[in-house]
Amino acid sequence: MTTSMRTYRRAAVALMLVTASLAGISSPAQATNQIAATGAPGSGDPYFPNSGNGGYDVLHYDLDLRYTPPSDPAVLVGHLTAEATITLLATEDLSSLNFDLRGHEVFAVWVYGSGAKHGKSPAERVPAEWSQMRDDASRVWELAIQLRPKLKAGQRTTIEIEYSGNTGRPVDTTGALYGWVTTADGAMVVNEPDGAATWYPVNDDPEDKATYTFRITVPEGKTAVANGLPDGRPVTTGGWTTWAWEASDPMASYLSTASVGDYVLSYDEGPGGLPIINAIDAGVTGQPLTDTNAALALQPRMMSFLADLFGRYPFEAFGAIVDDDSVGYALETQTRPVYSHLASEYTIAHELGHQWFGNAVSPADWQDIWLNEGWATYIEWLWAEHQGKATVTKQFTDAVAELDRKNLWALNIADPGRDNLFVEQIYRRGGAAIHALRAEVGDAAFFEGAREWLGRYDDSSATTEDFEVVMEEASGQPLDAFFNDWLREPNRPAMP
Ligand code: TRP
Ligand code: ZN
């Protein structure tokens, strides 16, 4: 037994209390002012104000997950029982802090003494008080943990959280499947933008990158694939197999995955012997499998091509997770993108391009999403040209023609609004803006600027303004008017 106080309640009566308590946290700035020593419940992203939390910086997530896939494929509900051990550094004096966690019930929280390192021993842990605040209408769930004694700015601690819940088919604010998506044979896990909280307690802010350890226990016969590299062979006992993965490169939470399926693993090598691990669901067969295998065989060459242009591949591993199920899109999950039904050549080029643009250097705020998608689109164009399919200029002209035809110039892609993160304009106008920038500053400054951007903000996050500064420095020319015309003005810009 623990002495933990449980203030979370399921019943509808409790929702009233809970909604009342949420009123105080709806504005992060206000909450911080009210109780100075409480970490804010949001990171301040204008699109997702309650995602992420203030007052600390996560260093490492150790996620121990036991997952039961649906017993009836007609009812897509699974079950997750988990223990998250999170090591963090306080950036303010804290008497409490918050994590984002949606759809799960917490049943125990322990805090390790400050100064405790990775190799903490259970004897050092003390039970902590916590509360869960929940408001389904505004999609806000917060887990607040009391810290006794207080954590001082600059101290680190480790917090262990036990929780469980049924898993379903969560959707983002636009209705697209995301997060821990329960499938007939497992789960497709794709968090962008704010879906990580559907499976672990998280500081869900792309500015707080951390390393990860995953231990995923699934029924014997299932395969669990996460980011990074395997930590030893899977271990089976009593009909359950534990798959261990270690992601040693700092990663934004929206890029984490722990997908489960009837995957068959295969291995390849990228430049310099870099390990490539591909997981293809046994349910992918026939032409989609033939096409997927042919496209995946191109990965080492694509990696060399992009490394020559933009610098060394930024992570410890690469590969693909190809599920026989679908969320309707692919995602650039770090070191191991997830694909729906099949992996095609240009989607692989796109998701590989994101490893540099989006993953090594991530958007500081969600309104900077065009930096991810514009670059990834441009990289598809570069690969197509390299393959002799079409010149970049031709693909640029086609994209502009498509924007003209559909009359899609009105949107400010540098601040498109929360529900327009993945609309066509972000990709096409974004890719066109990158190409126009190259035409504006010339090849030498363009590639020098791109490499400087990747070097300066590696393992970190940055804004559109930061990108403009780097490109102005590389080219020695002012680019304010250019960036406004290509990203923000509600009109077709002058063509290069
Ligand atoms: N980032 C994905 C990509 O590059 C796109 C994506 C994430 C997406 N969530 C989405 C697309 C929801 C459509 C709907 O391809
Ligand atoms: Zn993309």
Side-chain angles (χ1 to χ4, degrees):
M1 272 312 290
T2 77
T3 56
S4 301
M5 180 188 77
R6 208 182 125 205
T7 57
Y8 165 81
R9 291 170 192 84
R10 260 175 209 283
V13 246
L15 252 182
M16 289 159 52
L17 297 171
V18 156
T19 308
S21 71
L22 273 170
I25 63 158
S26 59
S27 153
Q30 188 191 330
T32 324
N33 293 340
Q34 278 168 355
I35 316 160
T38 298
S43 68
D45 190 292
Y47 293 179
F48 300 95
N50 293 303
S51 289
N53 302 279
Y56 66 92
D57 174 17
V58 174
L59 306 175
H60 188 76
Y61 293 93
D62 184 303
L63 305 178
D64 214 323
L65 311 166
R66 176 179 284 251
Y67 180 57
T68 311
S71 48
D72 178 358
V75 183
L76 293 175
V77 174
H79 191 80
L80 200 56
T81 302
E83 188 176 303
T85 307
I86 303 171
T87 300
L88 58 86
L89 182 71
T91 55
E92 299 166 15
D93 291 355
L94 293 173
S95 60
S96 73
L97 56 73
N98 276 32
F99 291 108
D100 306 306
L101 178 66
R102 289 208 308 269
H104 295 276
E105 183 179 356
V106 170
F107 50 90
V109 176
W110 286 280
V111 177
Y112 290 83
S114 66
K117 304 236 169 53
H118 261 19
K120 28 81 191 177
S121 76
E124 301 172 54
R125 65 183 200 182
V126 293
E129 293 184 0
W130 81 90
S131 59
Q132 280 185 283
M133 295 162 285
R134 159 177 189 178
D135 179 355
D136 287 331
S138 63
R139 310 161 54 84
V140 177
W141 288 56
E142 291 282 337
L143 166 62
I145 296 171
Q146 302 300 316
L147 299 167
R148 302 282 183 275
K150 251 177 32 172
L151 203 60
K152 291 278 189 195
Q155 285 182 324
R156 53 162 87 184
T157 192
T158 297
I159 300 181
E160 201 174 310
I161 299 156
E162 290 187 12
Y163 60 99
S164 71
N166 287 334
T167 65
R169 310 258 296 168
V171 290
D172 69 15
T173 58
T174 72
L177 286 166
Y178 85 147
W180 189 280
V181 179
T182 308
T183 59
D185 66 355
M188 269 183 96
V189 182
V190 284
N191 305 326
E192 194 182 26
D194 66 331
T198 64
W199 57 287
Y200 62 97
V202 55
N203 184 27
D204 200 11
D205 176 355
E207 290 192 280
D208 186 1
K209 297 189 180 187
T211 53
Y212 286 69
T213 302
F214 303 88
R215 271 177 308 279
I216 312 147
T217 302
V218 292
E220 186 175 358
K222 296 288 175 190
T223 303
V225 183
N227 315 87
L229 288 166
D231 182 9
R233 303 278 317 150
V235 176
T236 300
T237 39
W240 292 83
T241 302
T242 301
W243 296 80
W245 296 85
E246 193 74 44
S248 311
D249 297 306
M251 174 163 74
S253 46
Y254 81 91
L255 298 168
S256 59
T257 190
S259 293
V260 178
D262 301 320
Y263 300 127
V264 178
L265 300 179
S266 57
Y267 304 86
D268 201 347
E269 276 186 7
L274 191 112
I276 294 179
I277 303 172
N278 299 318
I280 306 180
D281 200 290
V284 178
T285 57
Q287 198 60 44
L289 178 62
T290 306
D291 292 350
T292 293
N293 280 327
L296 290 178
L298 295 169
Q299 287 182 140
R301 279 165 50 201
M302 290 182 185
M303 294 172 82
S304 303
F305 173 68
L306 293 181
D308 286 347
L309 291 176
F310 299 113
R312 199 172 68 76
Y313 175 78
F315 304 120
E316 61 194 324
F318 190 53
I321 300 171
V322 188
D323 208 285
D324 61 344
D325 217 304
S326 171
V327 290
Y329 57 90
L331 188 67
E332 64 267 22
T333 37
Q334 191 157 300
T335 70
R336 199 149 297 115
V338 174
Y339 302 87
S340 294
H341 293 315
L342 83 167
S344 70
E345 179 177 348
Y346 290 92
T347 309
I348 294 170
H350 179 110
E351 308 309 342
L352 174 61
H354 275 309
Q355 305 304 311
W356 283 263
F357 297 96
N359 298 8
V361 180
S362 303
D365 287 308
W366 285 108
Q367 69 180 52
D368 302 311
I369 189 69
W370 83 274
L371 282 168
N372 284 16
E373 302 311 340
W375 270 109
T377 301
Y378 193 62
I379 282 163
E380 290 180 56
W381 299 353
L382 290 169
W383 178 250
E385 180 175 85
H386 181 71
Q387 293 289 77
K389 199 183 156 207
T391 65
V392 170
T393 305
K394 164 83 164 71
Q395 296 174 85
F396 165 80
T397 310
D398 289 351
V400 167
E402 199 62 8
L403 291 162
D404 284 340
R405 190 176 70 77
K406 294 180 178 164
N407 202 9
L408 292 178
W409 292 105
L411 188 72
N412 172 358
I413 63 166
D415 190 4
R418 185 195 68 182
D419 294 340
N420 290 324
L421 292 179
F422 307 114
V423 297
E424 193 178 338
Q425 296 92 309
I426 300 292
Y427 292 77
R428 286 196 210 277
R429 186 171 176 170
I434 297 292
H435 183 70
L437 177 65
R438 180 176 173 179
E440 176 78 15
V441 302
D443 276 12
F446 175 78
F447 285 105
E448 191 197 311
R451 282 166 173 264
E452 175 59 26
W453 166 250
L454 293 166
R456 193 178 297 181
Y457 295 107
D458 186 31
D459 286 342
S460 170
S461 314
T463 64
T464 300
E465 290 70 29
D466 295 329
F467 181 61
E468 184 183 327
V469 167
V470 168
M471 285 298 175
E472 285 184 339
E473 286 173 10
S475 67
Q477 66 190 83
L479 291 170
D480 251 15
F482 174 89
F483 272 77
N484 277 328
D485 288 350
W486 274 94
L487 306 179
R488 302 186 181 92
E489 289 297 327
N491 312 302
R492 182 191 212 269
M495 291 298 129

